Amino acid sequence: MRRSYVPLDERQRAELLALTERYHQQGYRVLLVATREGYLHAPLSNSDERELTLEGLLTFRDPPKSSAGKAIQALRDSGVAVKVLTGDQIEAMDDAQLAQEAERCTLFARLTTQQKLRVVRLLQHNGHTVGFLGDGINDAPALRAADTGISVDSAADVAKASSDIILLEKDLQVLGEGVLKGQETFGNIIKYLNMTASSNFGNVFSLLIASAFIPFLPMLSIHLLIQNLMYDVSQLALPWDKVDRDFLRKPRKWDAGNIKRFMLWMGPTWSIFDVTTFALMCRRCSSQAGLLKVCCLRRWWYTCCGPRRFRSSRVAPPYR
C-alpha cells in the first residue's frame, strides 16, 4: 500500500505545536520523528534537516515518585530548601543575575550539564550548603561539585561514582529522615563538646586558684585521668538524648564561638563550688598551726574531696 505525502503548511504546523503543548502540560517530553531518503554523511549538521517526512511523535513521561510530596515537606520542615534542576535557558544571564534567580526560583527546566553545575556553584557562593540528587550521566559534574552528592542504586555508573551517598531504598522520604537524624547527631555532638570543654576548663581554673593558696599539689595526674574517664562514661547516653524541636527547624553549621562562650561562662561557674569547698576545708583546719595544719588540710583534701572529686588513699607530698 503506497503512502501519500502532504506538504506541511502553517495550519498543520500550528496543530502539531498545539498538540505538543498539550503533551507538555500533562508532563510529557515530546520527540518528533522524521525521515529522509538518501544517504547522510557524518558529521551531521543543520543543513541535513531538510526534505524530511514527518512520521509521528514520541512521548516520554517520568512521573514524580509517590513519596516526593511528603519528602519535600519533611525537608522544608527541617529548614532545607528544595530546588528542581531539569532548567530554563540561562545562558544569557551573568553570574550575578543567576545567583539572584537561584535564590528566588525553585524550578529550573531543561538545564544542560554545565548549567546544573553553574547553579550548584552559585548557591555555594551564596553561602548555602548544597546537596544534589541525580542519577544520570549529565548529573555527574554537579554531583561531584555539591557538598553532598546523592544518587540511587539504579543510577548510571558515573553518577554513582561521583556521589557521596547512594540510596538503596526507592523512597525519597529517607532524605528527610537522614537530614533529621544528622541534625540530631550534630546537636548531641555539640552538647558533648560544650560539657567536656567547660568541665576541663573549670578543673584547670579551680586548680590554678587552689595552687595559689594550698601548699601541696591540689590534684594528682591520676585523679584527672580517672575523673575524665568517669565523666566520659556518664556521657555515653548522649547519642540517645533528645534534641529540641527549635534546634531541628533549620540546618546548623559548626560554631566554635558558641563552644567558647559556653566554656568561658560555665567553667568558672562550676569552679565557684570548688573554691567554696576549698574555703570550707581551709577553715576546718585553721585552728592548727605550721606543719600540723598542712597535714590536717591534706588529709581532709584527699578524703573529703569536693565537687567532682573522689576518695583516694594516695597522698601528694607538700611543696618544698
Side-chain angles (χ1 to χ4, degrees):
M1 180 177 179
R2 298 187 61 182
R3 296 188 298 174
S4 59
Y5 300 92
V6 178
L8 185 64
D9 56 23
E10 292 300 325
R11 181 184 62 81
Q12 293 171 327
R13 182 187 298 273
E15 291 178 353
L16 285 173
L17 291 175
L19 177 61
T20 301
E21 182 62 24
R22 287 198 297 271
Y23 281 127
H24 285 165
Q25 293 295 329
Q26 299 174 26
Y28 290 95
R29 299 295 297 272
V30 182
L31 179 66
L32 184 144
V33 179
T35 59
R36 195 188 86 183
E37 294 183 0
Y39 295 97
L40 297 176
H41 300 282
L44 300 178
S45 63
N46 292 336
S47 61
D48 294 315
E49 296 182 4
R50 57 185 175 81
E51 300 176 0
L52 297 174
T53 301
L54 179 61
E55 301 290 349
L57 301 174
L58 294 178
T59 59
F60 303 87
R61 187 177 185 184
D62 186 11
K65 294 185 179 297
S66 58
S67 60
K70 294 181 179 179
I72 292 175
Q73 185 60 49
L75 291 171
R76 285 180 176 175
D77 292 342
S78 299
V80 179
V82 179
K83 297 183 182 294
V84 181
L85 307 184
T86 79
D88 203 349
Q89 296 302 325
I90 61 175
E91 290 293 346
M93 298 183 184
D94 59 22
D95 286 347
Q97 292 175 323
L98 183 56
Q100 294 179 354
E101 292 300 317
E103 295 288 342
R104 184 179 65 86
C105 297
T106 301
L107 176 63
F108 297 83
R110 301 177 185 174
L111 286 181
T112 64
T113 301
Q114 292 303 315
Q115 289 171 344
K116 292 180 180 180
L117 175 61
R118 188 180 171 197
V119 171
V120 168
R121 287 179 172 172
L122 287 175
L123 287 172
Q124 291 173 324
H125 184 265
N126 288 348
H128 297 287
T129 301
V130 181
F132 186 88
L133 172 64
D135 61 355
I137 296 175
N138 60 338
D139 295 323
L143 284 167
R144 185 172 293 275
D147 296 288
T148 303
I150 307 171
S151 191
V152 294
D153 191 39
S154 58
D157 290 340
V158 66
K160 292 192 289 186
S162 302
S163 301
D164 302 297
I165 299 174
I166 297 178
L167 304 180
L168 301 180
E169 297 183 15
K170 296 181 178 180
D171 188 349
L172 294 179
Q173 292 191 67
V174 297
L175 293 176
E177 295 171 359
V179 169
L180 186 62
K181 183 58 66 176
Q183 290 177 341
E184 290 178 352
T185 301
F186 180 76
N188 287 331
I189 290 175
I190 293 299
K191 290 179 187 177
Y192 174 81
L193 292 177
N194 282 338
M195 296 170 65
T196 302
S198 59
S199 174
N200 289 339
F201 181 74
N203 281 340
V204 173
F205 196 70
S206 299
L207 292 179
L208 287 176
I209 295 175
S211 299
F213 300 100
I214 299 174
F216 56 87
L217 290 175
M219 202 171 188
L220 300 178
S221 58
I222 188 64
H223 295 162
L224 289 172
L225 292 174
I226 296 179
Q227 174 183 298
N228 285 337
L229 177 61
M230 296 174 64
Y231 194 72
D232 286 338
V233 169
S234 69
Q235 295 184 80
L236 289 177
L238 275 180
W240 294 274
D241 193 23
K242 299 294 183 181
V243 179
D244 294 340
R245 290 187 176 273
D246 291 339
F247 186 88
L248 302 176
R249 287 178 180 172
K250 63 178 181 179
R252 306 282 176 166
K253 291 186 177 181
W254 172 259
D255 184 8
N258 177 66
I259 298 177
K260 180 181 178 181
R261 289 189 296 271
F262 190 90
M263 178 185 71
L264 293 178
W265 174 256
M266 293 302 299
T269 300
W270 290 352
S271 293
I272 293 175
F273 297 95
D274 290 340
V275 173
T276 303
T277 305
F278 302 161
L280 292 175
M281 296 171 69
C282 290
R283 183 178 179 84
R284 176 77 178 184
C285 297
S286 60
S287 60
Q288 307 293 332
L291 183 61
L292 184 61
K293 178 179 179 179
V294 173
C295 294
C296 175
L297 179 59
R298 188 171 56 185
R299 185 182 72 250
W300 274 94
W301 185 272
Y302 286 110
T303 56
C304 301
C305 297
R308 306 194 306 274
R309 305 300 196 266
F310 55 91
R311 183 177 300 274
S312 174
S313 59
R314 295 190 58 180
V315 178
Y319 290 140
R320 299 293 183 184

